[in-house]
mmCIF file of all heavy atoms in Angstrom:
data_model
loop_
_atom_site.group_PDB
_atom_site.id
_atom_site.type_symbol
_atom_site.label_atom_id
_atom_site.label_comp_id
_atom_site.label_asym_id
_atom_site.label_seq_id
_atom_site.Cartn_x
_atom_site.Cartn_y
_atom_site.Cartn_z
ATOM 1 N N GLY A 209 146.601 -87.994 21.492
ATOM 2 C CA GLY A 209 146.977 -89.410 21.320
ATOM 3 C C GLY A 209 145.827 -90.196 20.786
ATOM 4 O O GLY A 209 144.850 -89.654 20.247
ATOM 5 N N ARG A 210 145.901 -91.531 20.987
ATOM 6 C CA ARG A 210 144.864 -92.433 20.423
ATOM 7 C C ARG A 210 143.438 -92.007 20.940
ATOM 8 O O ARG A 210 142.436 -92.218 20.265
ATOM 9 C CB ARG A 210 145.146 -93.884 20.876
ATOM 10 C CG ARG A 210 144.385 -94.878 20.008
ATOM 11 C CD ARG A 210 144.269 -96.240 20.685
ATOM 12 N NE ARG A 210 145.512 -96.844 21.062
ATOM 13 C CZ ARG A 210 146.158 -97.781 20.396
ATOM 14 N NH1 ARG A 210 145.666 -98.205 19.257
ATOM 15 N NH2 ARG A 210 147.289 -98.274 20.844
ATOM 16 N N GLY A 211 143.441 -91.378 22.123
ATOM 17 C CA GLY A 211 142.176 -90.935 22.712
ATOM 18 C C GLY A 211 141.418 -89.941 21.790
ATOM 19 O O GLY A 211 140.240 -89.704 21.999
ATOM 20 N N SER A 235 151.300 -88.660 19.797
ATOM 21 C CA SER A 235 151.976 -89.934 20.194
ATOM 22 C C SER A 235 152.313 -90.774 18.938
ATOM 23 O O SER A 235 151.811 -90.474 17.867
ATOM 24 C CB SER A 235 151.086 -90.761 21.105
ATOM 25 O OG SER A 235 149.959 -91.210 20.370
ATOM 26 N N ARG A 236 153.126 -91.801 19.152
ATOM 27 C CA ARG A 236 153.553 -92.605 17.993
ATOM 28 C C ARG A 236 152.349 -93.392 17.410
ATOM 29 O O ARG A 236 152.324 -93.602 16.186
ATOM 30 C CB ARG A 236 154.650 -93.584 18.392
ATOM 31 C CG ARG A 236 155.098 -94.365 17.193
ATOM 32 C CD ARG A 236 156.480 -94.935 17.397
ATOM 33 N NE ARG A 236 156.388 -96.380 17.594
ATOM 34 C CZ ARG A 236 157.452 -97.136 17.562
ATOM 35 N NH1 ARG A 236 158.629 -96.646 17.305
ATOM 36 N NH2 ARG A 236 157.340 -98.435 17.709
ATOM 37 N N VAL A 237 151.421 -93.843 18.244
ATOM 38 C CA VAL A 237 150.262 -94.569 17.728
ATOM 39 C C VAL A 237 149.618 -93.725 16.663
ATOM 40 O O VAL A 237 149.239 -94.228 15.575
ATOM 41 C CB VAL A 237 149.258 -94.860 18.890
ATOM 42 C CG1 VAL A 237 147.916 -95.227 18.350
ATOM 43 C CG2 VAL A 237 149.817 -95.968 19.813
ATOM 44 N N GLN A 249 155.444 -86.077 15.962
ATOM 45 C CA GLN A 249 155.588 -87.089 17.035
ATOM 46 C C GLN A 249 156.553 -86.639 18.102
ATOM 47 O O GLN A 249 157.638 -86.185 17.847
ATOM 48 C CB GLN A 249 156.022 -88.410 16.425
ATOM 49 C CG GLN A 249 156.073 -89.516 17.478
ATOM 50 C CD GLN A 249 156.534 -90.821 16.828
ATOM 51 O OE1 GLN A 249 156.050 -91.230 15.827
ATOM 52 N NE2 GLN A 249 157.465 -91.507 17.495
ATOM 53 N N VAL A 250 156.076 -86.832 19.354
ATOM 54 C CA VAL A 250 156.869 -86.558 20.543
ATOM 55 C C VAL A 250 157.325 -87.863 21.135
ATOM 56 O O VAL A 250 156.525 -88.776 21.226
ATOM 57 C CB VAL A 250 156.023 -85.765 21.600
ATOM 58 C CG1 VAL A 250 156.774 -85.654 22.917
ATOM 59 C CG2 VAL A 250 155.674 -84.407 21.021
ATOM 60 N N GLY A 251 158.608 -87.964 21.524
ATOM 61 C CA GLY A 251 158.998 -89.183 22.228
ATOM 62 C C GLY A 251 160.395 -89.646 21.809
ATOM 63 O O GLY A 251 161.143 -88.947 21.134
ATOM 64 N N GLN A 252 160.681 -90.872 22.245
ATOM 65 C CA GLN A 252 161.986 -91.444 22.064
ATOM 66 C C GLN A 252 162.340 -91.500 20.582
ATOM 67 O O GLN A 252 163.487 -91.283 20.192
ATOM 68 C CB GLN A 252 161.939 -92.891 22.640
ATOM 69 C CG GLN A 252 163.264 -93.615 22.664
ATOM 70 C CD GLN A 252 163.020 -94.988 23.217
ATOM 71 O OE1 GLN A 252 162.200 -95.219 24.098
ATOM 72 N NE2 GLN A 252 163.784 -95.986 22.744
ATOM 73 N N THR A 253 161.354 -91.838 19.757
ATOM 74 C CA THR A 253 161.630 -91.908 18.311
ATOM 75 C C THR A 253 160.991 -90.717 17.584
ATOM 76 O O THR A 253 160.832 -90.770 16.389
ATOM 77 C CB THR A 253 161.112 -93.217 17.749
ATOM 78 O OG1 THR A 253 159.772 -93.447 18.244
ATOM 79 C CG2 THR A 253 161.984 -94.384 18.144
ATOM 80 N N GLY A 254 160.663 -89.700 18.323
ATOM 81 C CA GLY A 254 160.117 -88.453 17.730
ATOM 82 C C GLY A 254 160.966 -87.303 18.256
ATOM 83 O O GLY A 254 162.148 -87.429 18.482
ATOM 84 N N GLY A 266 144.405 -87.446 25.799
ATOM 85 C CA GLY A 266 144.195 -88.773 25.270
ATOM 86 C C GLY A 266 145.495 -89.496 24.981
ATOM 87 O O GLY A 266 145.603 -90.288 24.050
ATOM 88 N N ILE A 267 146.502 -89.230 25.781
ATOM 89 C CA ILE A 267 147.829 -89.875 25.650
ATOM 90 C C ILE A 267 148.091 -90.607 26.962
ATOM 91 O O ILE A 267 148.008 -90.018 28.069
ATOM 92 C CB ILE A 267 148.932 -88.817 25.389
ATOM 93 C CG1 ILE A 267 148.691 -88.120 24.072
ATOM 94 C CG2 ILE A 267 150.328 -89.443 25.426
ATOM 95 C CD1 ILE A 267 149.732 -87.006 23.716
ATOM 96 N N SER A 268 148.423 -91.917 26.857
ATOM 97 C CA SER A 268 148.579 -92.739 28.083
ATOM 98 C C SER A 268 149.808 -92.348 28.869
ATOM 99 O O SER A 268 149.901 -92.579 30.051
ATOM 100 C CB SER A 268 148.581 -94.203 27.718
ATOM 101 O OG SER A 268 149.649 -94.526 26.850
ATOM 102 N N GLY A 269 150.885 -91.893 28.138
ATOM 103 C CA GLY A 269 152.133 -91.544 28.827
ATOM 104 C C GLY A 269 153.064 -92.737 28.924
ATOM 105 O O GLY A 269 153.817 -92.879 29.916
ATOM 106 N N ALA A 270 153.084 -93.555 27.873
ATOM 107 C CA ALA A 270 154.055 -94.675 27.817
ATOM 108 C C ALA A 270 155.449 -94.148 27.960
ATOM 109 O O ALA A 270 155.723 -92.961 27.618
ATOM 110 C CB ALA A 270 153.881 -95.431 26.500
ATOM 111 N N GLN A 272 158.112 -94.421 26.358
ATOM 112 C CA GLN A 272 158.740 -93.888 25.159
ATOM 113 C C GLN A 272 158.196 -92.495 24.815
ATOM 114 O O GLN A 272 158.888 -91.676 24.224
ATOM 115 C CB GLN A 272 158.520 -94.798 23.937
ATOM 116 C CG GLN A 272 159.176 -96.191 24.105
ATOM 117 C CD GLN A 272 158.243 -97.168 24.753
ATOM 118 O OE1 GLN A 272 157.140 -96.873 25.210
ATOM 119 N NE2 GLN A 272 158.677 -98.436 24.847
ATOM 120 N N HIS A 273 156.949 -92.237 25.187
ATOM 121 C CA HIS A 273 156.407 -90.877 24.977
ATOM 122 C C HIS A 273 156.999 -89.966 26.031
ATOM 123 O O HIS A 273 157.419 -88.817 25.741
ATOM 124 C CB HIS A 273 154.873 -90.901 25.023
ATOM 125 C CG HIS A 273 154.263 -89.559 24.663
ATOM 126 N ND1 HIS A 273 154.028 -89.204 23.371
ATOM 127 C CD2 HIS A 273 153.929 -88.496 25.438
ATOM 128 C CE1 HIS A 273 153.537 -87.975 23.354
ATOM 129 N NE2 HIS A 273 153.461 -87.513 24.619
ATOM 130 N N VAL A 286 144.932 -84.637 30.124
ATOM 131 C CA VAL A 286 143.478 -84.732 29.946
ATOM 132 C C VAL A 286 143.214 -86.172 29.530
ATOM 133 O O VAL A 286 143.653 -86.579 28.464
ATOM 134 C CB VAL A 286 142.914 -83.752 28.887
ATOM 135 C CG1 VAL A 286 141.436 -83.911 28.722
ATOM 136 C CG2 VAL A 286 143.330 -82.325 29.224
ATOM 137 N N ASN A 287 142.578 -86.939 30.416
ATOM 138 C CA ASN A 287 142.449 -88.376 30.126
ATOM 139 C C ASN A 287 141.226 -88.938 30.865
ATOM 140 O O ASN A 287 140.892 -88.499 31.976
ATOM 141 C CB ASN A 287 143.734 -89.105 30.651
ATOM 142 C CG ASN A 287 143.986 -90.392 29.955
ATOM 143 O OD1 ASN A 287 143.141 -91.254 30.042
ATOM 144 N ND2 ASN A 287 145.088 -90.520 29.275
ATOM 145 N N THR A 288 140.589 -89.891 30.249
ATOM 146 C CA THR A 288 139.416 -90.569 30.891
ATOM 147 C C THR A 288 139.891 -91.492 32.010
ATOM 148 O O THR A 288 139.070 -91.884 32.884
ATOM 149 C CB THR A 288 138.603 -91.340 29.852
ATOM 150 O OG1 THR A 288 139.528 -92.086 29.054
ATOM 151 C CG2 THR A 288 137.783 -90.416 28.997
ATOM 152 N N ASP A 289 141.151 -91.921 31.970
ATOM 153 C CA ASP A 289 141.607 -92.943 32.938
ATOM 154 C C ASP A 289 142.439 -92.277 34.066
ATOM 155 O O ASP A 289 143.590 -91.801 33.808
ATOM 156 C CB ASP A 289 142.477 -93.946 32.163
ATOM 157 C CG ASP A 289 143.066 -95.030 33.079
ATOM 158 O OD1 ASP A 289 142.800 -94.987 34.299
ATOM 159 O OD2 ASP A 289 143.841 -95.846 32.553
ATOM 160 N N ALA A 292 146.111 -93.567 34.290
ATOM 161 C CA ALA A 292 147.018 -93.504 33.148
ATOM 162 C C ALA A 292 148.364 -92.908 33.649
ATOM 163 O O ALA A 292 148.337 -91.956 34.411
ATOM 164 C CB ALA A 292 146.463 -92.679 32.048
ATOM 165 N N GLY A 304 138.539 -86.751 32.231
ATOM 166 C CA GLY A 304 137.349 -86.569 31.390
ATOM 167 C C GLY A 304 137.646 -86.805 29.970
ATOM 168 O O GLY A 304 138.790 -87.020 29.562
ATOM 169 N N ASP A 305 136.597 -86.752 29.163
ATOM 170 C CA ASP A 305 136.688 -86.981 27.699
ATOM 171 C C ASP A 305 137.255 -85.694 27.046
ATOM 172 O O ASP A 305 136.690 -84.627 27.219
ATOM 173 C CB ASP A 305 135.288 -87.260 27.182
ATOM 174 C CG ASP A 305 135.250 -87.606 25.714
ATOM 175 O OD1 ASP A 305 136.153 -87.217 24.985
ATOM 176 O OD2 ASP A 305 134.294 -88.275 25.306
ATOM 177 N N MET A 306 138.333 -85.890 26.359
ATOM 178 C CA MET A 306 138.993 -84.709 25.724
ATOM 179 C C MET A 306 138.043 -83.980 24.766
ATOM 180 O O MET A 306 138.147 -82.760 24.615
ATOM 181 C CB MET A 306 140.295 -85.095 24.981
ATOM 182 C CG MET A 306 140.105 -86.092 23.855
ATOM 183 S SD MET A 306 141.670 -86.520 23.097
ATOM 184 C CE MET A 306 141.970 -85.169 21.936
ATOM 185 N N HIS A 307 137.071 -84.716 24.192
ATOM 186 C CA HIS A 307 136.147 -84.062 23.304
ATOM 187 C C HIS A 307 135.100 -83.191 24.029
ATOM 188 O O HIS A 307 134.330 -82.489 23.398
ATOM 189 C CB HIS A 307 135.471 -85.100 22.394
ATOM 190 C CG HIS A 307 136.487 -85.826 21.532
ATOM 191 N ND1 HIS A 307 137.280 -85.163 20.643
ATOM 192 C CD2 HIS A 307 136.865 -87.106 21.480
ATOM 193 C CE1 HIS A 307 138.099 -86.026 20.060
ATOM 194 N NE2 HIS A 307 137.879 -87.226 20.551
HETATM 195 P P1 FAD B 1 147.342 -95.423 24.147
HETATM 196 O O1 FAD B 1 148.432 -96.018 24.927
HETATM 197 O O2 FAD B 1 146.352 -96.342 23.503
HETATM 198 O O3 FAD B 1 146.602 -94.414 25.140
HETATM 199 C C1 FAD B 1 145.454 -93.717 24.851
HETATM 200 C C2 FAD B 1 145.048 -92.914 26.076
HETATM 201 O O4 FAD B 1 143.932 -92.138 25.767
HETATM 202 C C3 FAD B 1 144.656 -93.833 27.260
HETATM 203 O O5 FAD B 1 145.322 -93.386 28.397
HETATM 204 C C4 FAD B 1 143.132 -93.595 27.382
HETATM 205 O O6 FAD B 1 142.724 -93.646 28.736
HETATM 206 C C5 FAD B 1 142.990 -92.221 26.851
HETATM 207 N N1 FAD B 1 141.683 -91.921 26.247
HETATM 208 C C6 FAD B 1 140.909 -92.691 25.427
HETATM 209 N N2 FAD B 1 139.847 -92.012 25.012
HETATM 210 C C7 FAD B 1 139.924 -90.754 25.538
HETATM 211 C C8 FAD B 1 139.098 -89.606 25.468
HETATM 212 N N3 FAD B 1 137.997 -89.579 24.709
HETATM 213 N N4 FAD B 1 139.500 -88.539 26.160
HETATM 214 C C9 FAD B 1 140.638 -88.527 26.946
HETATM 215 N N5 FAD B 1 141.439 -89.624 27.053
HETATM 216 C C10 FAD B 1 141.087 -90.690 26.381
HETATM 217 N N6 FAD B 1 155.304 -93.496 21.582
HETATM 218 C C11 FAD B 1 155.367 -92.205 21.479
HETATM 219 O O7 FAD B 1 154.380 -91.475 21.775
HETATM 220 N N7 FAD B 1 156.512 -91.590 21.002
HETATM 221 C C12 FAD B 1 157.612 -92.293 20.669
HETATM 222 O O8 FAD B 1 158.629 -91.653 20.228
HETATM 223 C C13 FAD B 1 157.553 -93.696 20.764
HETATM 224 N N8 FAD B 1 158.648 -94.430 20.463
HETATM 225 C C14 FAD B 1 158.615 -95.786 20.650
HETATM 226 C C15 FAD B 1 159.732 -96.535 20.455
HETATM 227 C C16 FAD B 1 159.718 -97.929 20.644
HETATM 228 C C17 FAD B 1 160.961 -98.724 20.410
HETATM 229 C C18 FAD B 1 158.473 -98.523 21.093
HETATM 230 C C19 FAD B 1 158.459 -100.022 21.340
HETATM 231 C C20 FAD B 1 157.391 -97.825 21.279
HETATM 232 C C21 FAD B 1 157.406 -96.428 21.085
HETATM 233 N N9 FAD B 1 156.278 -95.650 21.321
HETATM 234 C C22 FAD B 1 156.396 -94.293 21.225
HETATM 235 C C23 FAD B 1 154.954 -96.222 21.544
HETATM 236 C C24 FAD B 1 154.505 -96.222 23.031
HETATM 237 O O9 FAD B 1 154.961 -97.413 23.649
HETATM 238 C C25 FAD B 1 152.949 -96.224 23.123
HETATM 239 O O10 FAD B 1 152.420 -97.320 22.438
HETATM 240 C C26 FAD B 1 152.285 -94.918 22.591
HETATM 241 O O11 FAD B 1 152.926 -93.792 23.126
HETATM 242 C C27 FAD B 1 150.816 -94.928 23.019
HETATM 243 O O12 FAD B 1 150.186 -93.852 22.364
HETATM 244 P P2 FAD B 1 148.870 -93.261 23.021
HETATM 245 O O13 FAD B 1 149.157 -92.805 24.392
HETATM 246 O O14 FAD B 1 148.318 -92.258 22.070
HETATM 247 O O15 FAD B 1 147.869 -94.498 22.984
#
Side-chain angles (χ1 to χ4, degrees):
R210 199 201 302 261
S235 69
R236 182 160 108 167
V237 164
Q249 186 179 313
V250 170
Q252 186 182 327
T253 47
I267 296 178
S268 60
Q272 297 89 355
H273 186 85
V286 179
N287 202 301
T288 45
D289 177 4
D305 184 336
M306 61 183 277
H307 298 300

